[in-house]
Amino acid sequence: MDSSLEIPGIARLVTGGGGLPRFEIATPLAEAHVYLHGAQVAHFAPAGQPPVLFMSAQSWFQPGKPIRGGVPVIFPWFGSRQGDASAPAHGFARTRAWAAESILQRADGVVVVTLRLEPDDAMRTMWNASHNWVLRHRIAIGSELSMELEIENRGTEPIQCEEALHTYFNVSDVRGVMVWGLENTEYYDKADGMRRKRQDGEPIRFTAETDRTYVNTEATCIIEDPGLHRRIMVEKRHSHSTIVWNPWIAKARAMADFGDDEWPRMVCVETGNVADNRLEIAPSARHVTETVVHCEAC
Ligand code: BG6
């Protein structure tokens, strides 16, 4: 392993699930795991707190397959690709090995890991071969978890894409959880034939499969979890969509890489730009989507 990618006593590159390399970071502020596969944060816990992110005990850890939990990076399309049913769901960024660009510790104790993905022939074949781009994912681990996904267009034509930080949160029991912040916002209901609806003035409560793409919202979401006496705040910048997902019973059973009984312990509140909010990035321009996750007791 490259020793410039270690901070003695703080961060090291080790062999993780399925033999895939991951950073293990432990500081007085927090501990975290970050896989090069998918640039995926797989674990984050501020000091003295239970894990903030959910990870399925049934997850695959295999090249070419997504990891079920933590924060998958979704790019360049969200869900199935329009007009191409054979394309992998949620694009290819989450199933690729990213390059580790740097790791450093700031004066305030926060550790910042930067990972990079550039197109290879397989990605060019799968998407628009004439696009030239680079993704950078900057993950800052402190008492809060901050993630910045940068898309740089290095080509000569505009790039249209969707992207998301598909954050899986660890909750005590989703049936008692409320998500605030999306009141009076419009969404596409994937659990109801993608019908466009409007959230009422109430927080989201979970009583069935929930799969909603909220559009035109930059609001901070708050996951209120009475069972863990915790509020998780999900702040974002340069993101106009928020996806809220829990598979519930039947869909959990249908997923090979997810335990049948795991659905009550997770909820996804995802930061992105999808559907009506898909991005168009001009030549030589960059787009950075940022999300910051922090917790408080309640
Ligand atoms: C969510 C989508 O973001 O991801 C759901 O809204 C989807 O429709 C879920 O089921 C999980 O997707 P995947 O491809 O990881 O099984």
Side-chain angles (χ1 to χ4, degrees), residues 40-155:
Q40 191 150 338
V41 181
H43 168 63
F44 170 69
Q49 290 192 37
V52 174
L53 303 175
F54 166 86
M55 173 58 64
S56 170
Q58 305 300 320
S59 177
W60 294 311
F61 288 92
Q62 284 176 36
K65 294 204 167 183
I67 296 173
R68 177 72 68 196
V71 191
V73 174
I74 308 304
F75 173 87
W77 56 85
F78 181 82
S80 35
R81 187 178 181 193
Q82 255 184 344
D84 182 1
S86 68
H90 288 327
F92 46 70
R94 66 176 177 164
T95 57
R96 298 294 159 145
W98 292 47
E101 201 170 84
S102 64
I103 182 162
L104 57 86
Q105 189 173 31
R106 299 192 322 222
D108 60 2
V110 171
V111 172
V112 183
V113 183
T114 304
L115 301 149
R116 187 181 68 242
L117 185 72
E118 292 179 64
D120 60 15
D121 288 347
M123 291 183 246
R124 284 197 190 90
T125 305
M126 238 187 281
W127 198 34
N128 190 325
S130 60
H131 284 344
N132 190 12
W133 48 269
V134 56
L135 296 188
R136 279 203 176 75
H137 195 26
R138 281 184 288 273
I139 302 157
I141 294 136
S143 52
E144 51 186 39
L145 171 66
S146 155
M147 292 168 285
E148 290 180 6
L149 178 64
E150 175 185 291
I151 307 165
E152 181 185 345
N153 183 355
R154 289 185 167 172

Side-chain angles (χ1 to χ4, degrees), residues 26-42:
T27 75
L29 299 174
E31 56 175 49
H33 299 164
V34 178
Y35 278 85
L36 303 192
H37 182 79
Q40 191 150 338
V41 181

